[in-house]
Amino acid sequence: MRATAEWESFSEWVETQTPDVICLQEVKLAAYGSISSVKGDGKPRDRGKIKDNTKSAIPDADIVRQKLQRKPFSQYQQFWSLSDWRYSGVLVLVRKPIKVLKTRFNLDPDRPASEHHPDGRVVVLQFPNVDFVGTYAPNHGWEPGHWQRREEWDNVCLNYLIRRQERIDGTKKEERAEQNKREVGGEAGAEEEGKPLLWMGDLNVAPTDFDLTHPAWFKVQVQRGFGRGTAETEVPPECLGQPGCTPVERENFASLLSQGHMTDVWRHFNPEGPPPSDRTSSGPGLVSPSRGGGAGDVANSCLWDVETAHWTWRGTPGNLTPEAGKYYSKAMRIDHAVSRQKVGEKV
């Protein structure tokens, strides 16, 4: 929001397209807490409200409020889920007067719907005709602790879809009826049987090589100090590569689609073309070995313009020259919209 030109361009797009739902991830705003609250202190937070009671938090809170109080965003309801500090965070905007029946801020049906994920990663909204999930997946990272965190997250996501499917199939009707009795007001989390589901957000995974500009290069990246050779630095094969395209992340995403009966909407409407390794490129704005690809990377180039809608993550230019940037002219598709298979034709 501090980048005025980009925000104005986004505002114009919203004004023109009038989307019903806007999902923003990694908003990097702290949740409201006491003045003395700090990261990881365990003190209570209002994760649905921006922190605005400290000298450091007030400027960001003021900017956000000013931007969202102006048209077209003043015509939207706000649903926040925030972390302890300026990290992670999700904001879902719903156009007025669309009715939101119920809300949930975690993916565990056994927890209260009002209990937020501690990192502010989940907003679930139930509409009359569709259920919506907005999430920001944790980065897979380069180290074992991060790998475990991501594996746990992927398991929670898959379990959410499996249990939702069980309710749809009617295999737990008695449990659902009992749950509905316990739920109060608008916090209930059980979806109606057979209702379509749309899941959007930064899912932090490039599902296939078609979602990478330089697949061979991305898939062998390791953190400095790690690699192959000793037990201390050995990277398991399933975790090898740039976070977002490791084998384990891809396998988990494939399971989420198949077992959750979901469809990758972008891929549904944009079928895979020739493999990127069969393409070379030249010309302004196109990926090429001379622009960050590295020696011998000709067969690993891609004809697609890095700035097109196909890619949702792009590397930044280097400090001295653009080409000096490690990820310059490289890109991935890691943000997604996935839906119940029967919804695919309607999205």
Side-chain angles (χ1 to χ4, degrees):
M1 291 186 181
R2 290 183 181 277
T4 303
E6 286 81 357
W7 182 256
E8 291 302 322
S9 177
F10 177 55
S11 299
E12 291 175 4
W13 180 86
V14 172
E15 185 78 47
T16 302
Q17 301 296 324
T18 61
D20 291 335
V21 178
I22 301 171
C23 187
L24 304 177
Q25 302 84 43
E26 201 173 5
V27 297
K28 292 187 175 180
L29 291 166
Y32 187 86
S34 66
I35 295 178
S36 61
S37 61
V38 295
K39 173 183 174 181
D41 59 11
K43 293 182 179 180
R45 300 291 202 284
D46 183 347
R47 300 193 184 281
K49 180 180 178 181
I50 303 170
K51 187 177 181 67
D52 62 355
N53 57 349
T54 64
K55 185 176 181 180
S56 60
I58 289 174
D60 283 343
D62 286 345
I63 289 175
V64 171
R65 289 198 183 104
Q66 291 171 11
K67 299 285 188 180
L68 295 181
Q69 285 173 357
R70 299 172 186 165
K71 288 186 176 181
F73 301 102
S74 60
Q75 300 169 336
Y76 285 79
Q77 308 166 65
Q78 302 174 27
F79 298 89
W80 294 89
S81 188
L82 303 171
S83 179
D84 285 3
W85 72 106
R86 295 176 59 183
Y87 165 78
S88 187
V90 173
L91 167 63
V92 177
L93 301 172
V94 178
R95 188 165 56 85
K96 302 173 183 177
I98 295 174
K99 185 176 182 180
V100 176
L101 301 179
K102 300 173 183 177
T103 61
R104 171 173 285 278
F105 298 97
N106 64 75
L107 296 177
D108 185 352
D110 295 328
R111 292 166 56 188
S114 59
E115 183 179 329
H116 289 245
H117 186 284
D119 288 345
R121 295 188 180 277
V122 179
V123 174
V124 181
L125 304 177
Q126 185 180 133
F127 298 99
N129 299 316
V130 65
D131 291 324
F132 177 87
V133 178
T135 60
Y136 172 49
N139 191 286
H140 188 256
W142 301 98
E143 300 176 355
H146 291 160
W147 301 339
Q148 180 179 355
R149 179 185 65 169
R150 178 56 183 268
E151 182 72 16
E152 292 172 352
W153 168 266
D154 287 345
N155 288 337
V156 167
C157 292
L158 179 58
N159 185 61
Y160 173 81
L161 290 177
I162 290 175
R163 294 186 64 173
R164 183 181 189 276
Q165 184 63 37
E166 288 174 343
R167 290 197 297 273
I168 291 173
D169 292 340
T171 57
K172 293 194 174 184
K173 288 185 177 180
E174 292 183 2
E175 290 184 19
R176 185 171 68 253
E178 185 63 27
Q179 178 184 2
N180 288 339
K181 290 180 182 179
R182 295 195 304 266
E183 291 169 339
V184 180
E187 291 189 351
E191 299 86 350
E192 296 176 13
E193 289 189 34
K195 183 185 290 187
L197 172 68
L198 179 62
W199 193 318
M200 293 181 63
D202 182 351
L203 305 191
N204 254 323
V205 59
T208 70
D209 284 2
F210 297 102
D211 301 305
L212 302 169
T213 55
H214 297 70
W217 184 88
F218 274 116
K219 292 192 293 183
V220 296
Q221 297 305 299
V222 294
Q223 184 185 33
R224 182 177 298 177
F226 284 76
R228 301 188 180 280
T230 68
E232 290 76 15
T233 61
E234 186 78 16
V235 176
E238 67 272 16
C239 295
L240 180 64
Q242 179 73 25
C245 65
T246 61
V248 66
E249 292 172 278
R250 290 178 162 190
E251 181 180 344
N252 289 345
F253 185 75
S255 295
L256 184 141
L257 294 182
S258 61
Q259 296 187 48
H261 304 280
M262 305 292 284
T263 296
D264 180 339
V265 176
W266 174 268
R267 184 59 64 210
H268 177 81
F269 289 110
N270 298 271
E272 296 169 342
S277 59
D278 290 344
R279 300 184 176 200
T280 58
S281 61
S282 62
L286 299 180
V287 176
S288 70
S290 64
R291 298 184 63 200
D297 200 33
V298 175
N300 193 35
S301 298
C302 174
L303 186 60
W304 296 312
D305 188 331
V306 177
E307 298 303 321
T308 64
H310 185 93
W311 314 107
T312 66
W313 178 92
R314 300 170 183 83
T316 56
N319 293 327
L320 298 178
T321 64
E323 292 78 7
K326 178 179 179 180
Y327 296 102
Y328 181 62
S329 283
K330 294 181 175 68
M332 302 189 291
R333 184 178 74 99
I334 58 175
D335 299 80
H336 302 280
V338 297
S339 71
R340 287 277 302 177
Q341 290 175 349
K342 66 179 181 180
V343 186
E345 300 298 334
K346 300 179 182 179
V347 176

